Amino acid sequence: MLSRFFRRRPQLEFPQFDPDPALNDLQLRQARDGALAGDWQAAARAIEDAGTNGELRCRRISVLSEAAVKEDAWLYKWLAEHPHDAAAVTIQAAMLSERAGNERGGASAAQTSDAQFRAFADLSAAAAEVSRRAMSLAGPSDPAPWVEFMGTMFGDRQARRSFAATYEEGRRRDPYNFELHLTAVGLLCQKWGGSHERMFDAARGAAAAAPPGANAVMLPFLAHFEYALREFGWDQWDRETLIARHQYLERPDVRQELDSWAAKWRAGQHTVGREMTCRHWLALYYTATGRHREAKVVFDEIGVYLGSPTAWGYFYGVSARGFVAGWKVANDAG
């Protein structure tokens, strides 16, 4: 099966894949571009238009915060005019958290300097402080500040002490929120001081409680990807490591479980944006287990929306390269 990844193949014509993190949320793309051009009201409207969909609200805040990392004048103008706007303050918190992650970088702990860790901790603490302010301003059903506060816990040890209470309140506000449970799964994994058991418990618990179609149903996929990354050649990207990770996903018990979650997710409606993330996970799973015809169906659903497909990097080192390799193999088979 893996020979298809390494053999020389004829050139395929394939689309210009789109790395925009907004994925297929076209309203969000327009709002972000408007904000970067100076129209902060466009960003405010996009969040307001999410209505009671807490997952969509959180996702839009996340993408807008990434834009603010590069250019924050529009955000600070919004904050100057409406300093008590919970959405604006939450975006500020998410922006600081994003900057914290950029300071740390994506390398393993062994390859991260003390100065990077200090910057990560300092900016995470600043993000936590702003998140607390956003909590005080949020409406009774808005989960976003709690999601962002949990995100600061990767770098702020003091904030992490309140993980259980924060997670509980986030679930009370929006029980099946993908961003909330995604953050919890990350915090509870072995890489961030948790364990495989706690990570799987969080992912499976969220997936079991969520209704069919909810994006949270797909979180066990990420848990299995994380397990394979950690247990089979951690921080290595050679052929033998790739084979070992593929073989793990091909285990009958793993395939049976993931196929059941995929069926539950397929059985309902999905929230825009993160539903495309889930499709990437499904395409990765089918690709890694040699189910290339099934992978092609999902690649066709993904279309050009590459986004920032982090999970592909768990198996192939460079996420975009892994995605394109999988796409080519699936289209060869299809």
Side-chain angles (χ1 to χ4, degrees):
M1 184 271 291
L2 280 173
S3 63
R4 304 187 72 147
F5 262 88
F6 296 103
R7 74 168 188 242
R8 186 180 299 276
R9 294 183 295 268
Q11 185 68 35
L12 283 170
E13 292 185 11
F14 56 93
Q16 185 66 43
F17 293 114
D18 187 345
D20 195 310
L23 295 167
N24 60 332
D25 189 344
L26 303 184
Q27 182 185 1
L28 175 57
R29 289 177 179 235
Q30 293 175 351
R32 179 205 54 213
D33 294 347
L36 289 172
D39 180 17
W40 64 260
Q41 294 94 336
R45 286 192 298 271
I47 296 173
E48 183 179 359
D49 288 349
T52 59
N53 189 329
E55 182 175 312
L56 183 59
R57 179 182 179 89
C58 290
R59 180 59 180 163
R60 288 181 171 181
I61 284 172
S62 176
V63 172
L64 289 168
S65 74
E66 291 179 24
V69 167
K70 301 174 183 177
E71 171 53 64
D72 60 13
W74 62 272
L75 174 59
Y76 282 107
K77 185 176 180 181
W78 183 2
L79 286 164
E81 295 188 30
H82 298 277
H84 303 297
D85 189 316
V89 177
T90 306
I91 292 174
Q92 183 187 19
M95 176 189 69
L96 291 170
S97 193
E98 186 76 19
R99 286 177 174 167
N102 290 344
E103 287 293 330
R104 185 201 181 281
S108 65
Q111 297 174 329
T112 304
S113 70
D114 290 343
Q116 287 175 297
F117 276 123
R118 285 195 297 271
F120 181 44
D122 290 346
L123 278 168
S124 294
E129 182 178 352
V130 178
S131 295
R132 292 186 186 96
R133 182 164 180 267
M135 290 177 185
S136 71
L137 298 170
S141 61
D142 180 7
W146 281 261
V147 174
E148 294 308 328
F149 185 56
M150 281 181 60
T152 71
M153 296 178 188
F154 290 100
D156 186 350
R157 294 182 179 180
Q158 183 176 355
R160 189 153 185 168
R161 296 190 185 107
S162 55
F163 168 79
T166 305
Y167 193 21
E168 181 180 357
E169 177 62 15
R171 284 177 290 183
R172 187 192 68 78
R173 288 168 172 262
D174 193 7
Y176 317 121
N177 187 286
F178 180 88
E179 305 292 340
L180 178 76
H181 293 293
L182 176 71
T183 306
V185 169
L187 285 166
L188 294 172
C189 77
Q190 188 181 87
K191 181 171 60 182
W192 288 100
S195 67
H196 293 324
E197 182 180 12
R198 295 178 71 194
M199 172 186 69
F200 275 113
D201 284 348
R204 289 166 174 156
N215 292 327
V217 168
M218 293 291 284
L219 286 167
F221 279 75
L222 182 62
H224 280 287
F225 297 157
E226 177 69 31
Y227 180 89
L229 173 67
R230 191 73 181 179
E231 289 299 308
F232 303 101
W234 169 243
D235 215 17
Q236 298 177 31
W237 308 104
D238 52 47
R239 181 189 176 100
E240 289 71 25
T241 297
L242 177 60
I243 291 172
R245 291 174 186 161
H246 282 207
Q247 287 176 338
Y248 168 73
L249 291 181
E250 290 174 335
R251 280 174 31 180
D253 59 325
V254 175
R255 287 185 56 159
Q256 182 178 4
E257 179 187 359
L258 293 182
D259 285 347
S260 69
W261 294 125
K264 182 177 179 180
W265 181 73
R266 286 286 197 188
Q269 296 295 314
H270 323 303
T271 298
V272 69
R274 278 306 197 181
E275 136 263 357
M276 201 58 72
T277 298
C278 294
R279 293 191 196 282
H280 274 281
W281 291 353
L282 193 55
L284 170 57
Y285 165 58
Y286 288 146
T287 297
T289 53
R291 296 158 67 175
H292 300 305
R293 293 187 185 279
E294 290 167 281
K296 186 180 186 310
V297 171
V298 185
F299 280 118
D300 288 346
E301 293 169 346
I302 292 170
V304 300
Y305 297 115
L306 175 62
S308 304
T310 306
W312 287 92
Y314 285 22
F315 286 77
Y316 309 113
V318 179
S319 293
R321 186 173 64 194
F323 171 84
V324 171
W327 186 95
K328 289 179 177 179
V329 170
N331 279 272
D332 273 345

